Amino acid sequence: QVQLVESGGGLVQAGGSLRLSCSASGRVFSSYFMGWFRQAPGKEREFVAGIGWGSTYYADVVKGRFTISRDNAKNTVYLNLNSLKPDDAADYYCAAATKIINTPSLVRNYDYWGQGTQVAVSS
């Protein structure tokens, strides 16, 4: 079992920044592919960013504004959110894929999920 706990959400003005963190249990965190997803009310969960095996991936709508990183020594993955827009408001979830995956953006490829942290953006 892998437990994921997100933190760092909150209310920010448009144009502002936040840093989300996701702390993971497990002895082989470094081998997991980690992803960040978000879900706004009434919408489907969507891929935001992923990191693993030396590569990073981003959804087009966040590319250049968000940055994903990880610290394997701390079993933690981060998501820096910059230049936030009202459309970025959502619950943000981190997820772990414990097997090799071909498509980081697919929800079904992830085995474990956190409970989410809310990001609100005021205009």
Side-chain angles (χ1 to χ4, degrees):
Q1 281 285 348
V2 177
Q3 292 185 327
L4 304 174
V5 179
E6 302 96 335
S7 62
L11 173 64
V12 63
Q13 287 188 328
S17 299
L18 281 175
R19 189 191 198 197
L20 307 184
S21 300
C22 173
S23 178
S25 65
R27 298 181 181 179
V28 290
F29 173 79
S30 60
S31 69
Y32 301 157
F33 187 93
M34 299 299 296
W36 282 99
F37 288 75
R38 67 187 183 187
Q39 188 167 17
K43 295 187 176 181
E44 293 186 353
R45 190 165 297 190
E46 65 174 357
F47 173 76
V48 175
I51 186 169
W53 313 309
S55 297
T56 56
Y57 304 83
Y58 296 94
D60 287 343
V61 293
V62 306
K63 202 171 292 184
R65 299 188 297 123
F66 293 6
T67 303
I68 190 170
S69 61
R70 67 193 296 166
D71 185 338
N72 290 331
K74 295 183 178 180
N75 278 20
T76 302
V77 62
Y78 305 97
L79 186 67
N80 286 313
L81 294 70
N82 297 313
S83 303
L84 281 161
K85 306 174 182 179
D87 285 349
D88 294 318
D91 291 328
Y92 282 71
Y93 299 87
C94 72
T98 59
K99 301 178 290 293
I100 294 175
I101 59 175
N102 293 324
T103 310
S105 60
L106 293 180
V107 169
R108 66 173 182 263
N109 282 338
Y110 293 83
D111 305 298
Y112 299 98
W113 293 83
Q115 294 299 307
T117 185
Q118 187 176 54
V119 171
V121 183
S122 62
S123 56

